[in-house]
Amino acid sequence: MNVIEVKNLTKTYKDFKAVDDVSFTVEEGIIFGMLGPNGAGKTTTIECAAGLKKPDSGQVRILDMDALRVGKKLYDFVGVQLQETSYQDKIKVKELCDFFASMYENSSDYEPLLARFNLTAKKNNYMTQLSGGEKQKVAIILALIANPKVVFLDELTTGLDPQARREMWAYIKELKAEGRTVFMTTHYMEEAEFLCDQICLIDVGKIVITDTVEGVIEHAKLETEVRFKAGKEAADYLRGNLSEVRAVEYTEGFVKVFSEKEDIITDIILLLNGKHIAYKQIDIHRPGLEDAFLKLTGKAWRD
């Protein structure tokens, strides 16, 4: 079942088309990640998808409701954390939670949420007294006060240290375990690989591909690089006898083999052993999501 359906979404700011005829769906109970370079259209897409910004054209349905027309009722089922969120300087955590709770007819008790995110002791602190990680926790709490079925998280972990980021990952996994659907944007490839069941690459306002992490990597048709120490005879022999490779290079005592074939290392070892050619220090670099991201996006930079 699809809980989010976006069709032909377009949004323009003056002469700049931030989102250009974007379409995708998000299945129930998954973590869906949207990735793209700065200015690719991630935040505009999430704002339009969450019903916070009106697109120039297109349709958005969330939980079978028209997100652009249903109005306030949508936010009884949807929680949103935005990248650019500012709070009053002299507002306390408790006061902010009380304010958000007053906006919903059936809001959740936020005290258990404060405890869950280890913020009970900070509820009487002003927001300006919190660390970056604590402010991000408050942002999630505010998004969860309505007990939503769908949660939008826009670059939640940007600016956090590695420990705080890992802690946030655990909380996002918990949201999925509770049966919620999570739509998130992120700049971190490791984060997307760890969290997302499905990812969508967006570049200059257009969808490049929507697939699993493995599917995106496969789509990019990237090469595995095998590097090992051996004599020049090893490189010469492999060039003449190794199939499905783009190149075999020899530099300063090391042989490098480049191939799209995933198990090319097996062919290399069989050939070298069969010819009794000595080798050592084998290192394999298999392409990951970051490699695929760099190949498939960045059109504006390349242009």
Side-chain angles (χ1 to χ4, degrees), residues 20 26 37 44 57 69 74-76 109 120 131-132 170 190 231 234 243:
D20 188 1
V26 180
T44 299
S57 60
R69 295 185 179 182
L74 178 70
Y75 300 104
D76 289 329
D109 181 4
T120 300
S131 67
E190 183 186 8
S243 61

Side-chain angles (χ1 to χ4, degrees), residues 193 201 213-225 244 246 257-264 285-297:
E193 286 185 288
L201 296 188
V213 171
E214 294 77 12
V216 170
I217 295 171
E218 183 178 350
H219 176 80
K221 297 188 181 302
L222 297 161
E223 293 179 331
T224 294
E225 177 186 336
E244 298 184 65
R246 179 181 63 81
V257 179
F258 301 89
S259 174
E260 290 183 20
K261 188 176 181 181
E262 189 172 346
D263 61 346
I264 191 66
H285 173 71
R286 300 189 189 280
L289 181 59
E290 182 170 350
D291 300 296
F293 177 87
L294 292 172
K295 181 175 180 179
L296 297 174
T297 65

Side-chain angles (χ1 to χ4, degrees), residues 3-291:
V3 298
I4 302 174
E5 296 180 351
V6 176
K7 294 182 180 179
N8 308 117
L9 192 71
T10 299
K11 180 66 178 178
T12 303
Y13 299 102
K14 295 184 179 179
D15 297 328
F16 174 64
K17 189 170 285 188
V19 179
D20 188 1
D21 197 31
V22 162
S23 299
F24 60 88
T25 60
V26 180
E27 296 178 9
E28 182 179 19
I30 72 166
I31 300 175
F32 178 92
M34 179 167 277
L35 287 71
N38 287 332
K42 300 186 300 296
T43 295
T44 299
T45 299
I46 206 171
E47 288 174 342
C48 292
L52 297 174
K53 189 165 287 184
K54 185 177 180 181
D56 301 331
S57 60
Q59 298 178 338
V60 179
R61 297 195 69 80
I62 299 178
L63 298 168
D64 208 28
M65 295 182 288
D66 187 330
L68 306 177
R69 295 185 179 182
V70 72
K72 183 178 180 297
K73 180 183 176 183
L74 178 70
Y75 300 104
D76 289 329
F77 306 94
V78 172
V80 183
Q81 168 271 327
L82 294 177
Q83 180 185 0
E84 298 293 338
T85 302
S86 58
Y87 307 105
Q88 295 176 344
D89 289 342
K90 293 299 182 181
I91 190 167
K92 295 180 179 179
V93 173
K94 182 179 183 301
E95 293 171 339
L96 197 55
C97 290
D98 283 332
F99 173 71
F100 270 71
S102 70
M103 298 170 63
Y104 307 105
E105 292 183 6
N106 300 304
S107 61
S108 299
D109 181 4
Y110 62 78
E111 291 288 351
L113 290 172
L114 289 171
R116 173 180 176 179
F117 289 91
N118 301 312
L119 286 179
T120 300
K122 303 276 186 164
K123 67 180 181 180
N124 288 311
N125 285 39
Y126 292 109
M127 287 294 294
T128 53
Q129 296 175 311
L130 302 185
S131 67
E134 289 168 340
K135 288 178 181 177
Q136 295 295 61
K137 289 180 182 180
V138 172
I140 293 186
I141 290 171
L142 299 180
L144 295 179
I145 283 179
N147 193 25
K149 295 181 179 179
V150 180
V151 183
F152 289 91
L153 304 174
D154 187 18
E155 298 191 26
L156 177 67
T157 65
T158 296
L160 299 186
D161 62 64
Q163 182 176 348
R165 188 177 300 129
R166 291 278 179 171
E167 190 176 3
M168 283 296 175
W169 294 359
Y171 293 134
I172 295 171
K173 285 280 192 180
E174 288 178 13
L175 297 181
K176 176 187 174 182
E178 293 166 359
R180 307 181 201 269
T181 303
V182 178
F183 182 145
M184 62 180 289
T185 67
T186 180
H187 274 124
Y188 300 110
M189 300 301 112
E190 183 186 8
E191 181 168 286
E193 286 185 288
F194 181 77
L195 290 174
C196 298
D197 302 293
Q198 191 173 40
I199 61 172
C200 172
L201 296 188
I202 185 170
D203 193 28
V204 291
K206 289 183 174 290
I207 299 297
V208 178
I209 184 175
T210 302
D211 207 331
T212 61
V213 171
E214 294 77 12
V216 170
I217 295 171
E218 183 178 350
H219 176 80
K221 297 188 181 302
L222 297 161
E223 293 179 331
T224 294
E225 177 186 336
V226 180
R227 179 178 183 270
F228 57 93
K229 194 168 187 178
K232 188 174 181 298
E233 63 169 330
D236 293 338
Y237 181 68
L238 292 176
R239 284 194 193 98
N241 293 276
L242 195 59
S243 61
E244 298 184 65
V245 298
R246 179 181 63 81
V248 178
E249 299 176 356
Y250 180 77
T251 308
E252 298 180 352
F254 282 90
V255 179
K256 291 183 180 180
V257 179
F258 301 89
S259 174
E260 290 183 20
K261 188 176 181 181
E262 189 172 346
D263 61 346
I264 191 66
I265 182 64
T266 302
D267 297 345
I268 294 171
I269 291 174
L270 287 174
L271 284 171
L272 294 178
N273 287 345
K275 194 66 174 177
H276 303 291
I277 297 175
Y279 59 90
K280 59 183 178 179
Q281 299 179 20
I282 293 182
D283 179 58
I284 307 172
H285 173 71
R286 300 189 189 280
L289 181 59
E290 182 170 350
D291 300 296

